[in-house]
Amino acid sequence: MNNITRALIRIASLCLAIVLFSPPLALAANRTLALFPLAIYAKEPKDYLRKGLKAMFVSRLSDGSLEVVTDEKFRSLLENEEIQGKLSSQRIKEIAKELQVDYAVYGSVTAIGAGYSLDLTLLDLTKTPAKKHRVSRAMSEDQFIPDIAKVAERFRAIIEGRTISAEHQPLPHGQAGESQRTSGPFVRLDQGAGYAPQTESGLFREAPRPRGFQPSGMVPLHMTVVSFDAGDLTGDGRTNLVAISRSEMRIYEEGGQTYRTRDRLKAAMGEDFLKVSIGDVDGNGKAEIYLVSFYGGRAKTTAFEWDGKFRRLFRKAGHLHVVRGFKGSGPLLLYQDSRIGKLFWGGISVMDYAGKNNLQVVRHLPKLKDARFYTIMAYDINKDGSHEFIGLGDGNVLTMWDNGGKVLWSDNKGIGGTNNSLRVGDFPMPEYNPWVYINSRMVRADIDGDGKKELIAVKNIGLSEHMETLNVYTESQLVAYSFEGAALKRGWDTRKIPYCVVDIQVRGKTLFIAGQKGRLSKVGKGYSRIMWFDLGTQQ
């Protein structure tokens, strides 16, 4: 019996103890609540975790005035994977309506490293339209039971119409409590065998020692996210998250403890969204959105502003992508053309957008041999005020080019990989065209508190490293490098993340990660999440 199994048996036992010894609270009115089976995402079977959670919620929520209806009573209404908790919000509403209940609770639990991530929704069907109350928490194993109790209490408070006390609220990102502060979970590999970190929690680890993977917060996405970015769309100083699937773009706004959905944009018929980036290129204090889609056999970019609603600025054939500049410079807007049968075509240029459809070429970049367009970032290596470039080259190998296109340095093994891919080519039958992969951007952040920024890149891990066609990525690691003159030195990585990471971004001292659950089947909306880690609490 391994440690994970022992931990889950202990959790189930604790849940049973709470069922037996926790006194119920009183509600003011007779109502009913449907408790749907929770989806459990983990490498090993965890049916007893699902049963323990069910028992705990029944104990905490039910009494003589609130009847909790569990899935045993409506199993005949569930189909296939729905019995394992994998239901769409529409199906939840349909079943709840048939059961004639007042509330429904549904969601998922994901095992992440040595901890857990909980994403639950209380659907209030007494409101018209029905109102959703979402709770997302990341917790360590020893906090699992107390945090579940807090979630149950939160749901009771909502049903009773009570105000939720501040001590039960999760901390917003960027504001760590004293118990969260550490001397730094980011450990350099060259500090020697005698170095011992004071904590085993955090995102990055010193290989080969296992370290924790516990986000500061997260937003669940009931869609298959393929790209993501973060920035200020309205100029109010708050962070907006922009995430896309193949068919939809969503805007999230920072609000108190988490992010809430503010707007959605659907793809046109025959259009697939590919990539999104945001940045204040025109300098008006509000970031534009550059949405790249595949339509008519080629890539096209549509630029938007968003101030509560989308306003289209312009559309241009090819790829436009915002790259954060080095210190003292603004964002760079890179461009590469696209032709039918060739997703990426021709050279790369730096563009300037001055508003009112005024899009102009500033300069052409040197030829960066085999560079993956969306991984390119600018960096002033020799501190002369001009750009050198870093990105993934042939074989997804991390490469550094000077401002003349000469390779200054390249790694000896590949990273990258992504589930954001599509077939593009000249064959009339799409299934014979090659796969084209659209990798995550790379970012820079100070992960060890020394005042110097390291480079962070994504390494996704596929079901097979040698598949000749499409490789499905189900896990990932983040890899961090220090700058050593005109070279990079790999110094950190994370433990495995149970998602394919499709994009990352840094805003202030917060590292954002967008990940999707890798799957062979494309049926259904899929499941993804945006997670964030507060780097500032390590410094």
Side-chain angles (χ1 to χ4, degrees), residues 89-102:
S89 57
Q90 182 60 38
R91 280 289 291 155
I92 295 288
K93 290 179 182 178
E94 291 172 359
I95 296 172
K97 183 177 181 180
E98 187 166 345
L99 293 172
Q100 297 183 335
V101 296
D102 300 295

Side-chain angles (χ1 to χ4, degrees), residues 201-373:
S201 65
L203 173 60
F204 286 86
R205 66 181 175 89
E206 180 185 14
R209 303 183 200 176
R211 299 178 66 85
F213 182 89
Q214 184 172 334
S216 304
M218 65 194 68
V219 176
L221 309 177
H222 294 284
M223 66 179 189
T224 301
V225 65
V226 296
S227 184
F228 154 84
D229 205 352
D232 182 6
L233 297 177
T234 60
D236 62 0
R238 294 191 296 175
T239 299
N240 296 104
L241 310 181
V242 183
I244 64 170
S245 66
R246 285 283 182 255
S247 60
E248 183 180 11
M249 176 164 63
R250 297 182 187 176
I251 306 294
Y252 296 84
E253 186 174 70
E254 185 178 0
Q257 314 304 322
T258 185
Y259 291 85
R260 60 180 184 271
T261 308
R262 284 298 312 276
D263 209 349
R264 302 168 189 254
L265 180 72
K266 296 289 187 180
M269 184 176 295
E271 179 182 30
D272 288 324
F273 292 159
L274 299 182
K275 198 74 172 176
V276 68
S277 61
I278 62 178
D280 182 18
V281 179
D282 63 5
N284 70 351
K286 302 176 183 180
E288 307 93 57
I289 302 170
Y290 295 88
L291 174 64
V292 182
S293 58
F294 186 71
Y295 185 78
R298 64 191 299 187
K300 298 180 181 180
T301 302
T302 307
F304 297 92
E305 280 188 348
W306 185 87
D307 58 1
K309 60 181 179 180
F310 290 100
R311 183 170 71 87
R312 177 171 159 171
L313 300 175
F314 63 86
R315 193 170 198 184
K316 180 176 176 60
H319 308 259
L320 284 168
H321 182 61
V322 178
V323 175
R324 306 288 164 91
F326 55 81
K327 187 175 181 180
S329 69
L332 297 177
L333 184 61
L334 300 185
Y335 172 77
Q336 188 171 24
D337 202 356
S338 177
R339 298 289 175 91
I340 294 177
K342 294 285 186 181
L343 188 61
F344 299 96
W345 187 87
I348 300 171
S349 304
V350 177
M351 309 293 287
D352 179 54
Y353 176 64
K356 298 181 180 179
N357 297 325
N358 187 10
L359 184 67
Q360 298 180 345
V361 176
V362 176
R363 68 181 186 276
H364 299 290
L365 296 189
K367 183 178 180 180
L368 308 178
K369 185 178 179 182
D370 298 319
R372 307 299 193 250
F373 176 75

Side-chain angles (χ1 to χ4, degrees), residues 11-179:
I11 289 168
S13 300
L14 287 171
C15 286
L16 180 58
I18 290 172
V19 170
L20 295 175
F21 299 110
S22 296
L25 300 176
L27 288 174
N30 291 317
R31 296 184 180 181
T32 54
L33 179 147
L35 182 60
F36 284 81
L38 299 181
I40 308 295
Y41 296 104
K43 286 185 176 181
E44 298 186 8
K46 291 179 172 57
D47 287 340
Y48 34 86
L49 178 58
R50 183 183 290 109
K51 292 176 182 177
L53 288 169
K54 181 195 300 184
M56 184 172 182
F57 276 110
V58 170
S59 172
R60 288 278 172 166
L61 295 174
S62 64
D63 65 4
S65 54
L66 179 68
E67 178 188 359
V68 177
V69 181
T70 60
D71 58 293
E72 288 90 352
K73 298 182 180 180
F74 56 87
R75 182 159 299 215
S76 61
L77 301 178
L78 302 177
E79 303 173 356
N80 302 323
E81 289 189 337
E82 293 179 346
I83 296 174
Q84 302 300 318
K86 298 176 182 179
L87 297 92
S88 67
S89 57
Q90 182 60 38
R91 280 289 291 155
I92 295 288
K93 290 179 182 178
E94 291 172 359
I95 296 172
K97 183 177 181 180
E98 187 166 345
L99 293 172
Q100 297 183 335
V101 296
D102 300 295
Y103 304 94
V105 171
Y106 61 96
S108 66
V109 178
T110 303
I112 302 180
Y116 296 90
S117 167
L118 184 72
D119 296 300
L120 292 182
T121 297
L122 171 67
L123 182 65
D124 186 351
L125 296 153
T126 66
K127 301 290 193 299
T128 304
K131 186 175 182 180
K132 295 179 180 179
H133 302 273
R134 291 190 175 94
V135 173
S136 296
R137 288 180 181 268
M139 62 200 76
S140 60
E141 182 182 307
D142 59 346
Q143 288 297 312
F144 188 82
I145 298 302
D147 279 6
I148 292 296
K150 290 178 182 180
V151 172
E153 183 176 345
R154 179 183 177 88
F155 285 167
R156 284 190 63 91
I158 293 170
I159 294 171
E160 294 176 341
R162 290 189 284 111
T163 301
I164 305 167
S165 61
E167 66 178 2
H168 293 152
Q169 296 281 359
L171 290 168
H173 74 88
Q175 300 179 18
E178 289 302 317
S179 64

